[in-house]
Amino acid sequence: MTDNRGVSPSVGPLPRTKRRNAVLALYDSPVHRDWAFWMTAGWGTITALAIGTGEPSSSMPVWLDTVLAVLTFVILFGVFPSWLRLLVRRWLWRRHGTSPQPFPSGRLETERGLAVTPTIPPFTTSAPYPPPPSQPPAGTRGVQGRHVPEAVNLDLGETRGLSSNVMADARSGMPYPVARALRTLQQANTGKERYEAILDAAETLAISASVTAAAFLLARSESDAHQGDDQTRSSLAALRSALLSKGATFGTWTHWLEAVRPMTASAPEAVPGLRAALERDPDTPGLLERLDDLRKERNRAAHGDKPQSEGEATSRVKEIHPHLEGALKSAAPLLRAPWLLTVSAAYQPRKRSFDVIAKHAMGDHPDFERRRFNWRNPVATDVFYVLTDNGPITLSPFIASLFCPHCQQMEVCYAARAGKNTGPGQFKSFTRGHILQSEALGNDLRALPDARRPR
């Protein structure tokens, strides 16, 4: 007896369906039913017995002579004919338009000459599909009597929020790391990709805002008028301590901005645009509140609560993308100052100034446009600067342009970590997250103001 309703109890098990060229693309499966396989094996066996048991015909060892002879006869009289058979079969398949590995037909002939229905029929009629509608609905296309929905674009306003002017302005007017991250977000195709891109863009925004503010504070601490500013020193010392201990994370930058917030109330001129970016509004969350919500979402995903399905990812995107858009609005006053990557600087004695050529590192295009400036103070080449009304302010050692051996090109990187006493500074690429090292920049990070160091 058998549990298969499609096979009579008196009929034996069905033979395995023969599949052509399923073994090594040369032999049929199962191989014991393929004459080409037995021909190949036979030539190999006969050659091995003939050479191995005969008189040596050369100075080579018997085993080596046997192996070479077996390979020669197997290839010439076994593999080569099987390959020719494959070519003939392919020609016949193309000519007749048949499949190279046909599926078994609806009825199989057993060895006993009985017609037997397959165990699992290709279609079942026990639960028929509902009849198709008389008129295909909008957005569908008829295919062999059935209606298959066409692919449709998701609503940008509900799932991405990319059609807003805020996103468009940020892609064209913010520093390259932020603009590039937003471009990646706009090019994401699935909900999971958009979810990850939003969190990456949020962390990039936090880093860019923090290092811009740190550059202004470092320039302020080095000026003659503010060398004794305790608030400036303590803010930079807190950032130095984070970079020299566990390294910079998403939380490092948001916590540091939170620590700098009180300073903006007493000295708003220290970092232009920072006070407006960090302002608290009871009705509208500010930059820190938005970034903090996005940081919590990043931690949630990092601790095993990533979206498991496309639907869940799309739902999460709807929840968090307003926070990213709000953060971009708040950060705009701080990040509108142009980032420049200097190419050359030539002193003009008669003008007593420097002719500087620098790349405009704003917008999402990786090929920065070159611009010419005339500055009173000297600048280093291949260094990032923020251009202010009072001249350029260096972004080093927080931002650097370093050569990535993995990508084989120069990459925009941010400071991630450095040793407390010695060792190179570790910088992470904004684009792919590769870790690059620089001994000189490691010394510059350790040279930042230290709260324990006497002035």
Side-chain angles (χ1 to χ4, degrees), residues 93-379:
W93 289 331
R94 289 194 297 267
R95 182 177 180 182
H96 299 289
T98 56
S99 172
Q101 293 195 17
F103 291 97
S105 59
R107 300 178 67 82
L108 298 176
E109 296 295 326
T110 66
E111 295 179 357
R112 302 179 184 180
L114 300 176
V116 182
T117 305
T119 304
I120 302 177
F123 297 97
T124 178
T125 57
S126 59
Y129 289 100
S134 57
Q135 295 292 336
T140 61
R141 180 186 302 166
V143 179
Q144 296 182 355
R146 296 195 302 179
H147 301 284
V148 181
E150 292 181 344
V152 294
N153 291 328
L154 297 175
D155 186 352
L156 296 181
E158 293 184 0
T159 59
R160 300 190 202 178
L162 301 182
S163 59
S164 67
N165 293 331
V166 175
M167 291 284 185
D169 292 344
R171 279 192 59 179
S172 61
M174 281 197 172
Y176 170 72
V178 178
R180 182 211 58 82
L182 297 178
R183 181 173 181 266
T184 301
L185 172 57
Q186 285 189 312
Q187 292 179 336
N189 294 320
T190 66
K192 291 184 178 181
E193 290 178 356
R194 289 191 290 273
Y195 176 79
E196 293 293 339
I198 288 177
L199 298 182
D200 289 341
E203 184 172 4
T204 301
L205 179 63
I207 295 170
S208 301
S210 299
V211 297
T212 302
F216 277 97
L217 294 180
L218 182 59
R220 180 183 175 89
S221 69
E222 294 175 349
S223 66
D224 296 335
H226 301 91
Q227 282 188 352
D229 191 340
D230 292 336
Q231 283 186 312
T232 302
R233 276 186 75 84
S234 61
S235 298
L236 292 171
L239 184 57
R240 176 185 182 274
S241 177
L243 292 173
L244 299 187
S245 56
K246 296 182 179 180
T249 62
F250 197 163
T252 301
W253 306 110
T254 55
H255 293 330
W256 185 76
L257 287 174
E258 178 67 35
V260 174
R261 195 205 298 257
M263 179 183 178
T264 61
S266 59
E269 76 286 351
V271 183
L274 184 60
R275 181 176 182 177
L278 300 181
E279 278 183 342
R280 292 178 176 174
D281 190 337
D283 299 326
T284 305
L287 174 62
L288 274 176
E289 289 72 26
R290 298 287 194 183
L291 290 177
D292 196 52
D293 289 335
L294 293 166
R295 179 184 60 83
K296 291 177 181 177
E297 184 65 29
R298 167 57 65 85
N299 292 340
R300 175 185 178 186
H303 289 84
D305 194 11
K306 286 186 177 182
Q308 300 300 315
S309 65
E310 188 66 19
E312 183 183 1
T314 302
S315 178
R316 295 262 197 107
V317 169
K318 291 180 180 179
E319 294 176 2
I320 63 177
H321 86 74
H323 295 299
L324 176 61
E325 186 171 329
L328 290 170
K329 289 181 181 178
S330 300
L334 175 63
L335 294 179
R336 288 303 181 189
W339 283 22
L340 302 174
L341 177 60
T342 55
V343 177
S344 63
Y347 180 66
Q348 303 296 328
R350 297 184 61 183
K351 297 180 180 179
R352 295 184 179 179
S353 62
F354 294 84
D355 283 345
V356 179
I357 298 177
K359 296 179 179 180
H360 192 250
M362 304 292 283
D364 61 1
H365 201 287
D367 296 331
F368 305 143
E369 294 183 0
R370 294 194 176 195
R371 300 188 178 182
R372 187 181 298 273
F373 302 91
N374 186 265
W375 293 334
R376 303 292 299 179
N377 297 323
V379 293

Side-chain angles (χ1 to χ4, degrees), residues 3-180:
D3 294 334
N4 187 357
R5 299 179 181 178
V7 181
S8 172
S10 60
V11 178
L14 297 177
R16 293 175 59 187
T17 304
K18 189 173 183 179
R19 295 181 294 121
R20 295 185 175 184
N21 302 109
V23 179
L24 301 177
L26 293 176
Y27 307 105
D28 298 341
S29 177
V31 292
H32 66 269
R33 294 167 56 189
D34 186 10
W35 60 267
F37 170 77
W38 288 113
M39 183 176 68
T40 304
W43 276 110
T45 304
I46 294 173
T47 305
L49 292 175
I51 303 299
T53 58
E55 293 294 332
S57 59
S58 65
S59 59
M60 291 188 301
V62 176
W63 67 267
L64 181 58
D65 196 12
T66 303
V67 170
L68 293 178
V70 168
L71 290 177
T72 302
F73 278 80
V74 164
I75 292 174
L76 288 178
F77 302 107
V79 175
F80 184 69
S82 302
W83 177 71
L84 291 178
R85 183 184 65 169
L86 174 62
L87 296 181
V88 173
R89 285 179 172 179
R90 287 177 176 175
W91 176 77
L92 292 175
W93 289 331
R94 289 194 297 267
R95 182 177 180 182
H96 299 289
T98 56
S99 172
Q101 293 195 17
F103 291 97
S105 59
R107 300 178 67 82
L108 298 176
E109 296 295 326
T110 66
E111 295 179 357
R112 302 179 184 180
L114 300 176
V116 182
T117 305
T119 304
I120 302 177
F123 297 97
T124 178
T125 57
S126 59
Y129 289 100
S134 57
Q135 295 292 336
T140 61
R141 180 186 302 166
V143 179
Q144 296 182 355
R146 296 195 302 179
H147 301 284
V148 181
E150 292 181 344
V152 294
N153 291 328
L154 297 175
D155 186 352
L156 296 181
E158 293 184 0
T159 59
R160 300 190 202 178
L162 301 182
S163 59
S164 67
N165 293 331
V166 175
M167 291 284 185
D169 292 344
R171 279 192 59 179
S172 61
M174 281 197 172
Y176 170 72
V178 178
R180 182 211 58 82

